[in-house]
């Protein structure tokens, strides 16, 4: 339907919508996050749900302790190699449609602890991430911003066609490899179906120029 | 409390023990006492139970790795050169075995004094890595000794439950040792700097970008 | 029971130990479990509702702080200490700064000592309120007490933010002083928060201390004896809840603590309720310390002029420095070999050592009590696993 006509009708008190809009509207306003904190960032996540920042305004205050009841995983904190299999398993146990917010420097890349032998250098090595928020820890406002970003993403999803979301595409996977503990490292160290190392021109990076080529 | 007097008291009460004061040159002045393996438990229980000492609280237990150093020595060797016996100086390089060390910080909750610092050393870093566990004397050592076993690989004899604590069970290395080689997964870094930049570059050179 | 909701929980049935008809149920509780405040796991064996075995499993947040610190400069490790016990970054800074000051023999100017006491005790206030909030949350009072606690915590965090630039990760102290002096009006603001705090505590107590459910679930639960507490090296409010008078602020008199008059609250029974009460009373004492410190703070420099922060190289040697952090004895053990990086850097984590008596406290209790006992220990995984 023509956007203008729709707005015009709305002014007259006639509400028109499409199934897609209704469906996306419902999904985006009732994101139930998994009650799952890993490290320091989790405290900011809790602060976001508390009195001052009040995440409930965005329909996302119902933190569920069970992955079966959650739509959204907020990876809040450092993922160690010992923990990574559990994180992936939790993700696999969530029902589609499911989303991931990677909160904080650690969840994105290992952050300040990147050089640790037991630290996974970013959760996107094993599972797909929808929104990244930088910060160490990100402020509650940043987490709220991530929510709004995710809601926008959901709102724009086409339900049919090539760009349709994973849960409507029978060929797309909804479970991912759970890494195993090896003698020296996790096996595999990353999931090649999910993650490729971006082409970065490292020789430039030290000179404070953009490293992308 | 003076470490010298404590040392002589222990020597008087634990016959045959070999003690040595390890001096500390920093302004903290916290000197420590190196004790031998055979008498460690006796020394520890004396420190805990003697009425005027009562070190009933073992606060901190930790491991330290001292890898072997290369020792360069000039040695005079007799050699037969051109049919004549001569003394020649030669530089010999030997590798010392190094050792692992466990350090215990003791305080007294009853008398409110401390610290007294105990040290124990293994003979080398590869095979003779056993130390007596002091967990029977202070329970607070239990998990900390487990941690040392996990990260440094010191085996504590007499420990009730010596398993890995921080790393997973199938893990084979002892990561806090100074010669530990971490797995190389530095293929990507958006804004590398310092050490991470070096590691990422090294990874690039070795793998050609993959 | 929420134990069954843990995603990674798995159950095994084994014959019961008492030779009866019953079977033992082995439950793996965690690492994703809402009551563990992070990633902590317990292997629990249950006989009906009763706990017959409990083995803690650590390491899910082992992020190699000590190893990384060996490659960092002394200053470079300061921000990492923030992330140990991430509720109390300032007291962590303090413990580390104290150890380095011992190692290198650095004096701290008066004003900086006062700033340390003020920020440190504010940290204690916000830690203890949050912990009580979490304890109540674990008990099933979802929402209200924790909301109250976080409302107060935010006020303290506002102070930290205007002083240090960050809410949680303050990175405030330096060897020989503090990083930044108070901005204009900060002290008045702090005074307001401190003056208002006892009123909040009264409100909190009216809500909780006499509450029947709270008493029923905490009194006589998770009893820790004096002897065991000393033997196992327990420190902090947990030790004092068992009635041992040992507060490092009084024993070591580090910084300028001997100038303030305050009491050390002690428990009698060593149960969860006593630990809860000790924390509440400790907050009242902290308020007293804060009032005295805010009244007395002198003008002057906040950094020792002789100390070089960048390119800092202490002489070879070692030092162990410890402080009374809100969780217990937080100590740093440093060995210098004369280079800019420490040769060995060790954190003595109160949270880890306080957790070691978990099994002793839980045996014979009901499975639902595990959660309450855990909440009363007050541990932060960042410090447990480092
Ligand atoms: S990003 Fe920073 S605050 Fe968040 S978990 Fe990592 S270290 Fe902690």
């Amino acid at each position: 339907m023509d956007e203008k006509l729709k707005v015009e009708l709305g002014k007259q008190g006639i509400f028109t919508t499409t199934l897609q809009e209704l469906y996306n509207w419902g999904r985006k306003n009732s994101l139930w996050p998994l009650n799952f904190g890993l490290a320091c960032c989790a405290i900011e996540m809790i602060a976001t749900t508390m009195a001052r920042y009040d995440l409930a305004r965005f329909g996302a205050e119902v933190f569920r302790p069970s992955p079966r009841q959650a739509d959204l995983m907020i990876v809040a904190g450092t993922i160690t190699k010992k923990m990574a299999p559990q994180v992936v398993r939790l993700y696999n146990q969530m029902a589609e449609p499911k989303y991931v917010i990677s909160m904080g420097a650690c969840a994105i890349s290992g952050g300040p602890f990147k050089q640790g032998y037991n630290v996974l250098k970013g959760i996107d090595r094993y599972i797909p991430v929808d929104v990244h928020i930088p910060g160490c820890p990100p402020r509650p406002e940043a987490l709220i911003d991530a929510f709004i970003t995710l809601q926008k993403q959901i709102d724009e999803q086409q339900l049919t066609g090539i760009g349709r979301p994973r849960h409507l595409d029978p060929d797309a996977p909804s479970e991912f490899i759970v890494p195993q503990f090896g003698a020296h490292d996790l096996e595999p160290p990353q999931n090649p179906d999910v993650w490729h190392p971006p082409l970065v021109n490292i020789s430039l990076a030290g000179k404070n120029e953009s490293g992308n080529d | 409390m003076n470490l010298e007097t404590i040392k002589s008291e222990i020597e008087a009460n634990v016959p045959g023990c070999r003690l040595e004061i390890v001096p500390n040159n920093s302004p903290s002045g916290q000197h420590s006492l190196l004790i031998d393996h055979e008498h460690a438990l006796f020394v520890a229980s004396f420190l805990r139970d003697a009425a005027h000492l009562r070190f009933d609280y073992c606060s901190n237990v930790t491991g330290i790795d001292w890898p072997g150093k290369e020792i360069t020595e000039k040695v005079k060797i007799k050699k037969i050169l051109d049919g004549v016996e001569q003394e020649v100086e030669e530089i010999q390089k030997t590798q010392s075995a190094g050792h692992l060390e466990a350090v215990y910080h003791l305080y007294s909750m009853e008398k409110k004094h401390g610290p007294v610092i105990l040290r124990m050393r293994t003979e080398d870093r590869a095979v003779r890595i056993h130390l007596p566990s002091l967990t029977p004397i202070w329970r607070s050592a239990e998990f900390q000794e487990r941690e040392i076993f996990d990260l440094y690989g010191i085996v504590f004899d007499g420990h009730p439950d010596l398993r890995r604590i921080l790393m997973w069970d199938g893990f084979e290395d002892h990561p806090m040792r100074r010669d530990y080689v971490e797995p190389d997964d530095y293929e990507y870094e958006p804004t590398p700097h310092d050490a991470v930049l070096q590691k990422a570059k090294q990874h690039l050179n070795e793998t050609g970008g993959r | 029971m929420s134990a069954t909701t843990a995603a990674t929980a798995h159950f095994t049935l084994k014959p019961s130990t008492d030779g009866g008809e019953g079977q033992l149920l082995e439950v793996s509780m965690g690492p994703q479990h809402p009551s563990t405040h992070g990633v902590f796991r317990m292997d629990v064996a249950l006989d009906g509702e009763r706990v017959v075995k409990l083995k803690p499993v650590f390491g899910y947040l082992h992020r190699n702080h000590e190893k990384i610190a060996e490659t960092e400069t002394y200053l470079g490790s300061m921000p990492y200490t923030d992330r140990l016990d991430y509720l109390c970054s300032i007291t962590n800074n303090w413990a580390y700064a104290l150890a380095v000051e011992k190692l290198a023999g650095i004096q701290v100017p008066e004003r900086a000592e006062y700033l340390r006491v003020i920020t440190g005790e504010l940290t204690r206030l916000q830690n203890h309120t949050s912990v009580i909030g979490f304890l109540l949350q674990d008990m099933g009072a979802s929402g209200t007490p924790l909301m109250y606690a976080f409302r107060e915590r935010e006020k303290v965090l506002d102070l930290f933010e205007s002083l240090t630039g960050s809410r949680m990760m303050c990175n405030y102290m330096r060897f020989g002083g503090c990083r930044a002096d108070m901005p204009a009006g900060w002290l008045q603001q702090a005074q307001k928060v401190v003056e208002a705090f006892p009123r909040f505590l009264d409100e909190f107590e009216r809500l909780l201390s006499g509450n029947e459910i709270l008493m029923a679930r905490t009194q006589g639960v998770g009893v820790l004896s004096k002897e065991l507490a000393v033997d196992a090296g327990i420190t902090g409010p947990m030790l004092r809840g068992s009635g041992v008078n040992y507060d490092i602020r009084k024993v070591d008199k580090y910084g300028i603590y001997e100038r303030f008059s305050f009491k050390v609250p002690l428990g009698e029974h060593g149960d969860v309720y006593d630990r809860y009460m000790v924390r509440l009373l400790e907050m009242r004492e902290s308020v007293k310390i804060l009032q005295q410190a805010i009244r007395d703070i002198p003008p002057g420099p906040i950094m020792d002029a002789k100390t070089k922060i960048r390119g800092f190289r202490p002489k070879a040697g070692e030092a162990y420095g410890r402080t009374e952090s809100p969780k217990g004895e937080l100590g740093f053990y440093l060995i210098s070999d004369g280079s800019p990086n420490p040769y060995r850097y060790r954190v003595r984590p109160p949270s880890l050592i306080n957790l070691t008596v978990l099994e002793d406290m839980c045996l014979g209790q009901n499975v639902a009590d595990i959660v309450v006992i855990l909440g009363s220990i007050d541990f932060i995984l960042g410090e447990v696993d480092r």
Side-chain angles (χ1 to χ4, degrees), chain C residues 25-241:
Chain C
L25 180 65
E26 286 198 1
V27 186
S28 160
M29 210 169 151
Q32 185 262 339
H33 187 280
S35 78
T36 59
H37 307 174
V39 279
F40 174 60
R41 193 178 118 202
M42 291 155 281
D43 282 334
V44 191
L46 301 172
D47 188 0
E49 279 279 297
R50 246 176 0 98
V51 180
V52 293
K53 195 192 90 184
L54 186 149
K55 291 278 170 233
V57 183
F58 300 96
Y60 292 101
L61 195 55
H62 176 48
R63 36 188 189 182
N64 328 126
H65 177 50
E66 291 178 4
K67 183 82 176 178
I68 293 172
E70 284 174 8
T71 62
E72 290 281 345
T73 59
Y74 283 87
L75 177 62
S77 290
M78 187 61 92
Y80 284 95
T81 63
D82 287 340
R83 288 155 180 82
L84 276 171
D85 168 3
Y86 30 77
L87 277 177
C88 322
S89 60
I90 286 187
T91 47
N92 300 345
N93 293 168
W94 195 351
Y96 178 51
L98 193 88
V100 176
E101 282 153 12
K102 274 205 174 156
L103 181 69
I106 301 170
Q107 294 301 319
V108 182
E110 280 238 48
R111 187 177 172 80
E113 289 281 21
Y114 273 91
L115 280 172
R116 285 181 177 190
V117 170
I118 293 173
T119 49
E121 293 302 320
L122 282 172
T123 305
R124 198 180 311 276
L125 288 184
Q126 61 85 13
N127 176 69
H128 285 1
T129 34
S130 317
V131 167
I132 293 174
F134 283 131
L135 172 69
L136 269 292
Q137 172 97 344
D138 294 344
M139 232 177 267
S142 49
T144 318
L146 192 60
M147 288 264 183
Y148 276 37
F150 264 69
R151 184 192 66 195
E152 293 310 303
R153 179 171 180 263
E154 290 289 343
K155 290 180 191 159
V156 177
L157 293 194
D158 283 347
L159 288 175
F160 288 167
E161 190 176 359
S162 64
L163 179 64
T164 70
S166 174
R167 284 156 52 82
M168 272 173 73
M169 305 303 180
C170 298
N171 182 16
Y172 182 53
M173 291 185 197
R174 291 290 178 265
F175 322 128
C178 296
R179 178 164 59 86
D181 208 341
M182 297 182 284
W186 192 85
L187 203 61
Q188 287 74 21
Q189 194 59 36
Q191 185 150 20
K192 256 195 224 159
V193 173
V194 171
E195 293 304 330
F197 212 82
R199 282 207 299 284
F200 157 69
L201 288 179
D202 294 340
E203 181 188 20
F204 219 37
E205 282 216 62
R206 269 204 310 283
L207 179 70
L208 302 175
S209 296
N211 184 302
E212 220 167 295
I213 302 175
L214 180 109
M215 291 207 274
R217 290 216 50 194
T218 56
Q219 288 183 341
V221 172
V223 176
L224 175 68
S225 74
K226 230 178 187 176
E227 293 70 39
L228 180 61
V230 173
D231 190 25
I234 307 301
T235 44
M238 229 176 123
L239 176 73
R240 296 191 284 275

Side-chain angles (χ1 to χ4, degrees), chain A residues 39-41 77-78 104-106 112-113 135-137, chain C residues 63 83 169:
Chain A
C40 351
C41 282
T78 320
C106 285
F113 296 96
C136 181
Chain C
R63 36 188 189 182
R83 288 155 180 82
M169 305 303 180

Side-chain angles (χ1 to χ4, degrees), chain C residues 340-357:
Chain C
N341 307 341
Y343 183 81
R344 173 76 174 108
Y345 171 105
R346 148 88 180 169
V347 187
R348 189 262 183 210
S351 295
L352 169 69
I353 294 162
N354 289 356
L355 264 179
T356 55
V357 288

Side-chain angles (χ1 to χ4, degrees), chain A residues 75 77-81 84 87-88 102 104-111 113-114 119-127 129 132 186 189-191 194-195, chain B residues 185 188-189:
Chain A
V75 185
T78 320
I79 310 109
T80 60
K81 288 181 181 164
V87 179
V88 179
S102 157
C106 285
I108 295 174
S109 70
F113 296 96
K114 186 174 183 101
V119 174
L120 184 69
K121 291 154 186 66
I123 191 58
D124 49 5
R125 289 185 180 222
Y126 290 113
I127 56 176
V129 175
H132 296 86
L186 287 179
Q190 65 248 355
N191 182 351
V194 178
W195 188 78
Chain B
D185 43 10
Y188 166 55
E189 167 68 46

